[in-house]
Amino acid sequence: MHPDVLITGAGPTGLTLACELARRGVPALLVERAPALFPGSRGKGLQPRTLEIFEDLGVLAEIRAAGRRYPAMLPWTDGRPGEPFALTPTATATEQVPHPETWMVPQWRTQEILYDRLRELGGDVRFGAELTGFTQDDTGVTAEITGIGTVTARYLVAADGGRSTVRRTLGIPMTGETVDPRPSLVADLRLTGLDREHWHVFPQAPGGPLALCPMPGTDDFQLYAQYEDGEPDTSPDGIRAVVAARTHLGPDAVTEIRWASDFRPRAALAERFRTGRVLLAGDAAHVHSPAGGQGLNTSVQDAYNLGWKLAHLLRHGADAELLLDSYQAERLPVAADVLDISTSIHRAGPLAGQPGTDRRRARRGKDTDQLAVGYRGGPLSVDHREAVPEDALQAGDRAPDAHLPDGTRLFDVLRGTHATLVTTATEPPAVPAGVRALRHDAYGPATDHPTLYLIRPDGYLGLVTRNAADLAPYLALLGLSD
C-alpha cells in the first residue's frame, strides 16, 4: 500500500487528521491496533474552540445533539446534599464567539461521530492493525503493519497515545512530572439513587474524593475516584465497593459497569514533535491530567493545524520544510502552556470553583476555552503594520466570527479547505484558486489605507498588511500561487 500519509491511532487526533486529509483529497491510511474504537467516556469536555473546528469539519450538529452543557456540581456530605455550584462559568454567544460554553460529550461518542464523518468523506479505519516498526529516508517512510504488511507512505503521523510506539522508536524523550502521586479510577457505569441533573461529588469521602457525572445521551454515569491509599480495583466488585464506601449508595445501586481504567495523573511533553518525515500529535506528543478538559481538545487542534499543512505540501507544492517546521513551532508552546493549566486545575482539587475554595487556581473559563490560543510570532504569522496595540487583532490570532450583510456569518465563508482574504478595501484584490475574498468591516472600517487580513485554512490570521503586494509572496509560501 502506498498512501501519502500513514496515521497510527484512531482516537480523536487520528480521526480528526484523517477527516482533514480526506476532505482535501489526500490519500491516507488510518490504522488502529484495537479491534474497535475506544469504548470509554474519558475525555468528555469539548471546549469552544474545538466546537468551531467541528463546525468546520461538518459534525457540529451531531456533537450538539449528542451532548449538553455541564451540569451543576452537587456536593454531598454524610448522605446529605449541599448547595449546587457551577464548575464552568455561564457564557453568552456573541457575534465573534458563537459557541462560548464547554459542551459535554463522552469521548466514545465524539469518536463515533468523527468516524462516521470520515467514512462520509471516503476514508476508513483499519482496525486490528498495529505498527510494529518503521524506517524512513529522504523520500518516505516504510512501515510494517500487522494484518496489512509493508506500507510505504510519504509521511507518518503518530497519534498512538501516551505510550506511543512511534515516539519510542524515534527515541524522542518526554519530560514532565507526576501531577498527583495518588492513583485514580475512572469508569462508566449505570446506577440508581442519583438524579441525572447534577454532577454528584463526594469531596470528603473516606479513602479519597469521588464524583459521579451523568453522561448525556446515555444512561451512564462517569465515575472518577482518587485513592489516598492502596490501588484501584477495576473489577465490578471493586467498583461497587468503592461506591458503597464513599457515598450513601449501597453496592447494589450499581447495576452495570461498562468500562473501567486506572491511572496516575501526569504531565509530560515530547522534546520535539518531528523527526524527518515522522510527526507526533495528540497524546503521543503531550500527556495531560484530565482536569480542565484540555487533553482531547489540544489533540484535536494538533490535527487541525497539521492536516492542512500536509495537504498543501502534498497537493499544492508548498514549502515542505517551512510548513512542517511551523507545526512544531506553533503547537509545542501551546501544549506546554496547556500542560501548566491542566496541572494547576488538578492541584486545585476536585471542587475547585466551589464557594470557599481557591478559584484562582482553577483557571477555568477564558484560560481553558482555547479561544485565545494563537500563533503570534510564529513562522507563518506575518504582520506588516507598525505600532499595533497588544489588544488589537494581529497575525497569529484566531479569526473571530462576524455577521455578514446577507445574513450569513463569516464562519460560513471560512468553512472548507480554502484560505480567505478579508479586506477593508472597496474591492478585494484578485486572488488565486484556493482563496476566497470578500470586503467587510468586521475587522476594521474602510479607510484610505485598507487593511488585508489573510485567514489560513485553519481559521488563524496568517498575513495582515496594508500593502496588497505582500499578498502574493505569502500565498506562494502556502502553495497558493496562480
Side-chain angles (χ1 to χ4, degrees), residues 237-304:
D237 287 344
I239 291 171
R240 288 186 171 94
V242 75
V243 170
R246 301 191 190 187
T247 77
H248 57 280
L249 304 173
D252 292 341
V254 179
T255 60
E256 184 178 353
I257 294 151
R258 303 174 63 80
W259 169 81
S261 179
D262 62 321
F263 67 99
R264 277 180 169 79
R266 57 189 288 258
L269 181 66
E271 184 178 86
R272 59 185 184 278
F273 287 9
R274 176 193 170 208
T275 296
R277 290 176 172 264
V278 183
L279 301 106
L280 309 181
D283 286 355
H286 42 80
V287 179
H288 307 249
S289 159
Q294 299 297 288
L296 182 153
N297 295 274
T298 304
S299 299
V300 165
Q301 292 187 52
D302 285 349
Y304 194 61

Side-chain angles (χ1 to χ4, degrees), residues 164-228:
S164 171
T165 297
V166 175
R167 188 190 66 242
R168 284 182 286 149
T169 300
L170 291 172
I172 297 177
M174 293 191 87
T175 57
E177 60 180 324
T178 299
V179 173
D180 192 332
R182 299 170 295 180
S184 296
L185 168 70
V186 61
D188 293 343
L189 51 81
R190 293 181 178 177
L191 54 77
T192 60
L194 293 177
D195 70 71
R196 298 188 59 83
E197 298 305 311
H198 296 94
W199 187 340
H200 302 272
V201 291
F202 303 82
Q204 305 301 325
L210 180 143
L212 288 160
C213 181
M215 290 289 96
T218 76
D219 295 324
D220 300 348
F221 282 79
Q222 183 193 67
L223 176 148
Y224 173 75
Q226 289 182 336
Y227 283 70
E228 303 291 351

Side-chain angles (χ1 to χ4, degrees), residues 367-409:
D367 288 311
T368 57
D369 63 21
Q370 302 208 359
L371 293 171
V373 168
Y375 310 122
R376 288 187 183 185
L380 298 182
S381 301
V382 180
D383 200 317
H384 285 304
R385 299 170 299 170
E386 296 181 358
V388 181
E390 179 68 21
D391 60 353
L393 196 61
Q394 298 184 31
D397 292 348
R398 161 191 166 273
D401 197 7
H403 294 153
L404 302 180
D406 63 1
T408 62
R409 297 161 46 210

Side-chain angles (χ1 to χ4, degrees), residues 244-463:
R246 301 191 190 187
T247 77
H248 57 280
L249 304 173
D252 292 341
V254 179
T255 60
E256 184 178 353
I257 294 151
R258 303 174 63 80
W259 169 81
S261 179
D262 62 321
F263 67 99
R264 277 180 169 79
R266 57 189 288 258
L269 181 66
E271 184 178 86
R272 59 185 184 278
F273 287 9
R274 176 193 170 208
T275 296
R277 290 176 172 264
V278 183
L279 301 106
L280 309 181
D283 286 355
H286 42 80
V287 179
H288 307 249
S289 159
Q294 299 297 288
L296 182 153
N297 295 274
T298 304
S299 299
V300 165
Q301 292 187 52
D302 285 349
Y304 194 61
N305 181 286
L306 181 58
W308 74 270
K309 294 175 179 178
L310 286 170
H312 276 233
L313 67 91
L314 288 165
R315 303 287 288 180
H316 301 293
D319 186 319
E321 290 304 308
L322 171 66
L323 292 189
L324 294 181
D325 286 347
S326 77
Y327 169 66
Q328 174 173 303
E330 291 181 343
R331 295 305 301 166
L332 194 151
V334 168
D337 186 56
V338 169
L339 284 173
D340 288 342
I341 292 172
S342 58
T343 298
S344 175
I345 292 173
H346 183 103
R347 289 175 175 167
L351 288 183
Q354 182 185 20
T357 64
D358 186 353
R359 300 186 185 193
R360 293 170 298 175
R361 293 182 64 192
R363 298 177 67 187
R364 288 184 172 91
K366 67 181 181 63
D367 288 311
T368 57
D369 63 21
Q370 302 208 359
L371 293 171
V373 168
Y375 310 122
R376 288 187 183 185
L380 298 182
S381 301
V382 180
D383 200 317
H384 285 304
R385 299 170 299 170
E386 296 181 358
V388 181
E390 179 68 21
D391 60 353
L393 196 61
Q394 298 184 31
D397 292 348
R398 161 191 166 273
D401 197 7
H403 294 153
L404 302 180
D406 63 1
T408 62
R409 297 161 46 210
L410 180 57
F411 275 13
D412 295 328
V413 178
L414 299 185
R415 190 178 306 120
T417 61
H418 54 277
T420 304
L421 179 66
V422 176
T423 176
T424 61
T426 304
E427 291 294 332
V431 293
V435 182
R436 293 183 184 176
L438 73 156
R439 196 219 72 77
H440 192 53
D441 59 3
Y443 299 159
T447 66
D448 293 336
H449 302 284
T451 304
L452 288 77
Y453 300 87
L454 193 283
I455 303 171
R456 303 172 357 175
D458 60 348
Y460 289 88
L461 293 170
L463 170 71

